[in-house]
Amino acid sequence: MAPGITDQLLRNNERYAAGQALHEPAHPGQQKIQPAKRLAVVACMDARLAVEDLLGLQTGDAHVIRNAGGVVDEDAIRCLIISHHLLDTNEIVLIHHTRCGMLAFSDDLLKAGLEGDPAAEQLLGRATGRRFTSCHAASATPAAFHAFRGPLLPLDAPHDDQARERLQWDVRRGISAILNHPWIPTSGPDAVAVRGFVYDVDTGRLEEVEHPGPMGSV
Ligand SMILES: [Zn+2]
């Protein structure tokens, strides 16, 4: 595969981390519908991630798909299929980040709290510093919240090696989900390249996650 634009994005990120503003506001409607950099980004919704800025992207350059965690869930896959097959993107960048809220709870804990488990309510309240108010009702949807695998951390806990490992596991799960999807070609003439990163909210820097690698163990 020819060298793509992701390496250029990493050079942009170095400048961003050093304090340069890279995203320039553009008049709306002047760009083509196809992303100019043929890029799709899947990133966490965290308010501290200025995705266009930290990658040095301009209006019209990329699809930016965001959700809690930046997880490659069914909806992200849906977006990536449309992005590639209909709108001509051929590089995918996954971005998780340090201090992510998805390290601070588990799917079971959040569901129990929402359904009315008083111990879960207390734990969630303590973790977030916000009184957790149960809805006292069960629901089949969402089927999953995709909280990251591993022992829970306090919300916004300082980054450490264990958190790094957990973030890397989930980035690898995302890369793996893309590589294994039958409708996202990652070899052959129509191949899409995929790379994954952890963004450090304290330094502004991206750290690449190698794949394959450990996927975590309970
Ligand atoms: Zn996050």
Side-chain angles (χ1 to χ4, degrees):
M1 160 142 284
I5 59 110
T6 305
D7 289 320
Q8 176 62 52
L9 302 180
L10 291 175
R11 288 192 288 276
N12 291 348
N13 176 249
E14 284 297 319
R15 292 167 55 202
Y16 171 79
Q20 279 189 49
L22 301 176
H23 177 75
E24 293 155 14
H27 189 275
Q30 298 302 306
Q31 297 82 21
K32 284 190 182 170
I33 186 170
Q34 292 86 0
K37 298 235 184 292
R38 304 186 70 194
L39 173 73
V41 181
V42 181
C44 186
M45 68 182 187
D46 192 289
R48 297 165 293 186
L49 266 67
V51 174
E52 284 86 354
D53 280 333
L54 71 92
L55 293 175
L57 296 171
Q58 307 306 329
T59 307
D61 275 353
H63 289 142
V64 181
I65 301 152
R66 301 190 69 168
N67 61 34
V71 298
V72 179
D73 61 1
E74 188 182 342
D75 194 65
I77 290 282
R78 177 186 74 88
C79 296
L80 291 171
I81 292 168
I82 292 169
S83 177
H84 171 64
H85 286 284
L86 303 183
L87 294 164
D88 201 34
T89 57
N90 65 1
E91 287 190 57
I92 299 170
V93 165
L94 306 183
I95 303 179
H96 283 29
H97 66 94
T98 63
R99 296 176 179 264
C100 186
M102 302 288 276
L103 296 161
F105 71 99
S106 70
D107 280 31
D108 280 349
L109 180 65
L110 181 52
K111 280 184 194 174
L114 291 166
E115 289 174 2
D117 178 330
E121 277 184 90
Q122 230 177 33
L123 280 168
L124 289 162
R126 210 179 305 148
T128 58
R130 171 193 187 275
R131 186 186 154 79
F132 187 90
T133 307
S134 176
C135 297
H136 297 283
S139 172
T141 57
F145 289 100
H146 300 291
F148 299 155
R149 183 187 293 167
L152 307 191
L153 287 176
L155 189 69
D156 203 23
H159 190 50
D160 63 15
D161 287 345
Q162 191 183 46
R164 169 183 284 110
E165 214 177 18
R166 292 176 60 198
L167 292 163
Q168 291 179 341
W169 295 343
D170 205 79
V171 170
R172 291 190 188 109
R173 289 165 77 185
I175 294 174
S176 183
I178 291 167
L179 293 178
N180 289 306
H181 201 283
W183 290 349
I184 304 179
T186 49
S187 61
D190 194 35
V192 179
V194 191
R195 288 168 74 176
F197 300 88
V198 173
Y199 172 76
D200 188 322
V201 297
D202 293 300
T203 66
R205 279 206 166 74
L206 289 165
E207 182 187 355
E208 184 146 18
V209 178
E210 80 277 14
H211 183 276
M215 299 292 283
S217 166
V218 291

